[in-house]
Amino acid sequence: MFELRSFAARSAATLLLALSASIAAAQAAKPRVVVLATGGTIAGAGASVVNSATYQAAKVPVDKLIAGVPELAEVAQVRGEQVFQIASESFTNDKLLALGKRVAALAKDPAVDGIVITHGTDTLEETSYFLNLVVRSDKPVVVVGSMRPGTAMSADGMLNLYNAVVVAGSADARGKGVLVAMNDEIHSGRDVAKRINIKTSAFGSQWGPLGMVVEGRTYWFRLPAKRHTATSEFDIEKIDSLPDVQIVYGAGNMALELYDAVQRSGAKAVIHAGTGNGSVANYAVDKLRSLRSQGLQVIRSSRVGDGFVLRNSEQPDDKYDWVVAHDLNPQKAKILAAVALTRTADPKELQRIFWEY
Ligand code: DAS
């Protein structure tokens, strides 16, 4: 009888060992994803479950964000780093550079398969485009935010974070540029913009999302058309400062002093967020031409959300030595202009860069 019991005990121990080994093997086979937390609503907290729009952003630390979605461990080996803890309207160039350098360093680490960045939604589109331009890697980099704090009823942050980790751990997300996972959609970091400021369906791309992520699986429907990440000529490891670029918003009855203020601030370029197709009021043309002759780059974007600015249409850009921002909204044009100006001050070269990125 004793032999039988000891045999059974040995068999159970062997079984347990085999089981724990297979669990460890299964865990080790999962992609290794690093979550870089910067703040925003996804880390926000409100006073009550009905506060879906009144809350404090940038409160919850990264480890609590990860612990709040235990299902992450089913799809990846996840660890977190708290890079900043701010609302994203407070991002500055030094924050963009620091984040970009951390992402690039992790992307080079053979023990990292994908990177997720939790971020406020206000300037998420600028950060995702910036990383798309300067992080020289094919590894998935996925930026994610939320429109409601985790304390609210029907908070969107948990599923957005889960989806972002799924995408970051997906081999089929490689080589598609920096991605944004919001509201079950996967957008190109280049194309996406915050188009509604109070709905969970806030983010959209005028050329459409690249795909969707549903119940832990990615579904792709199109690919980016512009240069990005590994095919970019820009490299964050070689950029230690960003030239300043400012935006002037086009409307009726403009004060031309706004453009002078941009020049006096030391900016190297002004993004004219023009009406319609990047139009410039007749009383503002000479001011912009004069600033161009003093060295300020003039880049025509449009305050209209969709479409693209046609060169030499509303204004003779060739004659004035101006640049058009193509389909980039003013805030994305500002990012590209700053990155481009780290390499050239030639308007023709700037225009090439705006066509290609
Ligand atoms: N203030 C917003 C920000 O941090 C909150 C958010 O929507 O994330 O971008």
Side-chain angles (χ1 to χ4, degrees):
M1 191 58 178
F2 178 75
E3 289 74 22
L4 188 59
R5 279 209 192 103
S6 65
F7 172 72
R10 278 200 312 276
S11 309
T14 311
L15 194 61
L16 268 177
L17 271 175
L19 194 58
S20 58
S22 65
I23 290 169
Q27 190 59 19
K30 287 175 186 152
R32 297 150 301 181
V33 174
V34 179
V35 176
L36 297 179
T38 72
T41 293
I42 195 167
S48 100
V49 293
V50 296
N51 287 126
S52 60
T54 308
Y55 55 84
Q56 284 201 303
K59 289 292 171 204
V60 180
V62 63
D63 291 339
K64 211 169 165 205
L65 288 179
I66 293 169
V69 189
E71 293 73 17
L72 295 179
E74 293 167 16
V75 294
Q77 300 172 67
V78 180
R79 69 175 176 84
E81 292 181 12
Q82 192 77 47
V83 183
F84 314 122
Q85 186 67 296
I86 58 172
S88 73
E89 61 268 26
S90 304
F91 254 69
T92 50
N93 284 348
D94 62 318
K95 295 271 190 299
L96 278 178
L97 289 165
L99 179 62
K101 289 178 187 297
R102 187 61 191 138
V103 171
L106 286 169
K108 286 174 84 170
D109 183 342
V112 173
D113 299 306
I115 298 154
V116 167
I117 297 153
T118 59
H119 195 289
T121 60
D122 286 8
T123 64
L124 190 150
E125 66 205 78
E126 285 107 309
T127 298
S128 58
Y129 188 35
F130 174 72
L131 297 173
N132 197 55
L133 292 168
V134 301
V135 174
R136 287 276 194 83
S137 171
D138 269 335
K139 280 185 188 172
V141 175
V142 187
V143 190
V144 64
S146 75
M147 292 301 291
R148 296 173 181 154
T151 48
M153 268 188 277
S154 301
D156 53 331
M158 284 175 66
L159 182 55
N160 284 354
L161 178 58
Y162 176 78
N163 286 343
V165 169
V166 165
V167 177
S170 299
D172 59 17
R174 288 181 68 95
K176 293 186 167 71
V178 171
L179 302 168
V180 172
M182 288 292 286
N183 198 38
D184 301 335
E185 294 181 338
I186 308 170
H187 287 268
S188 159
R190 176 194 186 275
D191 299 342
V192 78
K194 184 174 182 180
R195 304 163 76 100
I196 308 168
N197 63 7
I198 202 156
K199 289 184 179 177
T200 50
S201 57
F203 282 77
S205 304
Q206 70 165 321
W207 314 119
L210 298 180
M212 285 193 75
V213 45
V214 182
E215 293 194 354
R217 278 199 56 196
T218 55
Y219 300 85
W220 303 100
F221 302 101
R222 66 181 190 87
L223 294 173
K226 302 290 186 179
R227 289 175 70 176
H228 58 74
T229 56
T231 64
S232 173
E233 64 198 273
F234 306 107
D235 182 353
I236 185 68
E237 295 187 351
K238 298 184 182 124
I239 300 175
D240 292 319
S241 69
L242 285 173
D244 188 39
V245 177
Q246 294 300 331
I247 301 170
V248 173
Y249 195 88
N253 196 44
M254 292 189 69
L256 301 186
E257 291 72 15
L258 293 173
Y259 296 107
D260 294 320
V262 167
Q263 189 203 33
R264 280 199 306 275
S265 73
K268 297 291 181 266
V270 60
I271 308 295
H272 171 75
T275 52
N277 198 251
S279 309
V280 179
N282 54 16
Y283 55 83
V285 171
D286 289 346
K287 169 62 73 179
L288 283 175
R289 293 193 67 188
S290 155
L291 291 174
R292 175 71 205 108
S293 69
Q294 296 168 57
L296 188 75
Q297 301 291 346
V298 175
I299 300 169
R300 291 194 303 119
S301 176
S302 171
R303 72 180 198 179
V304 177
D306 288 353
F308 63 87
V309 176
L310 214 57
R311 187 171 175 82
N312 295 318
S313 61
E314 285 290 338
Q315 295 293 335
D317 300 292
D318 289 353
K319 180 180 171 194
Y320 293 170
D321 217 14
W322 293 355
V323 177
V324 292
H326 202 24
D327 65 327
L328 294 177
N329 66 26
Q331 52 271 30
K332 287 191 183 251
K334 173 180 162 112
I335 292 291
L336 181 53
V339 170
L341 286 164
T342 64
R343 281 176 67 90
T344 180
D346 171 1
K348 289 183 177 51
E349 261 299 277
L350 290 175
Q351 186 64 76
R352 172 192 64 80
I353 290 166
F354 269 85
W355 292 143
E356 290 183 11
Y357 291 88

